[in-house]
């Protein structure tokens, strides 16, 4: 089963969402569950090969969550992370991780991918919110690169 990067990002969303809801879950188990749930052979398969990029995203977001959340918090006026929809938070975490830690993914690509995934898993209001936060981060990253 070969997945596109977008599909991997969706599996990362599912995995990280599970991890945020269940502290006893490990990243490995969450990734397996996300992958097996979409596999037609789910009843016959106990484990599947985890794509390298999925492993990078899930573990990278998990390990850098505090730094990523601090980045998001800078752009939340009169809001706290706890008040945001969990799905939107996870989508932003994945995009920010890619922007900050994955050199072969341009920041604008990470932003665009986040918006496409938000269209699938959230509503228009969420998409605008996610776009606002991530666009600010992209602009700041571009300013830093220009300096």
């Amino acid at each position: 089963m070969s997945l596109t990067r977008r599909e991997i990002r969706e599996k990362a969303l599912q995995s990280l969402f599970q991890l945020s809801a269940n502290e006893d879950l490990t990243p490995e188990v969450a990734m397996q569950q996300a992958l097996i749930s979409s596999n037609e052979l789910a009843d016959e398969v106990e484990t599947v090969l985890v794509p390298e990029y999925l492993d990078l995203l899930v573990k990278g977001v998990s390990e850098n969550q505090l730094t990523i959340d601090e980045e998001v918090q800078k752009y939340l006026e009169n809001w706290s992370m706890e008040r945001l929809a969990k799905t939107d938070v996870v989508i932003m975490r994945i995009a920010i991780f890619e922007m900050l830690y994955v050199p072969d993914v341009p920041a604008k690509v990470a932003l665009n991918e986040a918006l496409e995934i938000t269209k699938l898993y959230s509503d228009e209001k969420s998409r605008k919110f996610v776009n606002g936060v991530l666009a600010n981060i992209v602009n700041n990253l571009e300013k830093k690169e220009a300096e």
Side-chain angles (χ1 to χ4, degrees):
M1 169 173 76
S2 182
L3 299 172
T4 65
R5 278 216 170 165
R6 166 123 359 116
E7 292 168 330
I8 288 173
R9 288 179 182 99
E10 288 182 48
K11 296 297 173 202
L13 166 64
Q14 294 164 8
S15 302
L16 290 161
F17 191 89
Q18 285 184 65
L19 287 168
S20 71
N22 184 349
E23 293 177 9
D24 296 332
L25 209 57
T26 64
E28 292 77 15
V29 171
M31 288 184 283
Q32 285 293 323
Q33 289 177 349
L35 289 166
I36 290 173
S37 71
S38 65
N39 189 332
E40 297 80 38
L41 305 171
D43 295 338
E44 303 162 25
V45 177
E46 288 185 28
T47 62
V48 292
L49 184 64
V50 174
E52 194 175 313
Y53 198 63
L54 177 59
D55 190 66
L56 173 72
L57 290 178
V58 172
K59 290 180 179 172
V61 170
S62 297
E63 292 164 8
N64 296 286
Q65 188 171 313
L66 285 175
T67 304
I68 293 167
D69 287 357
E70 286 171 6
E71 196 62 33
V72 172
Q73 193 63 53
K74 290 178 192 175
Y75 302 98
L76 301 180
E77 294 179 21
N78 304 318
W79 281 79
S80 66
M81 293 288 285
E82 294 77 34
R83 289 184 61 198
L84 303 179
K86 289 280 183 237
T87 304
D88 299 342
V89 170
V90 175
I91 290 169
M92 288 189 292
R93 284 175 178 158
I94 293 167
I96 294 167
F97 175 77
E98 286 184 304
M99 290 175 189
L100 299 178
Y101 301 100
V102 184
D104 71 323
V105 175
K108 286 184 178 174
V109 170
L111 167 68
N112 220 25
E113 288 294 310
L115 294 179
E116 291 300 318
I117 292 170
T118 305
K119 283 181 191 175
L120 296 173
Y121 293 93
S122 287
D123 60 15
E124 182 65 20
K125 192 174 175 186
S126 288
R127 193 183 65 73
K128 288 179 179 176
F129 177 79
V130 168
N131 183 47
V133 171
L134 295 179
N136 278 319
I137 293 171
V138 169
N139 290 338
N140 277 348
L141 289 172
E142 288 174 347
K143 281 181 194 170
K144 285 180 186 174
E145 286 175 16
E147 288 174 1

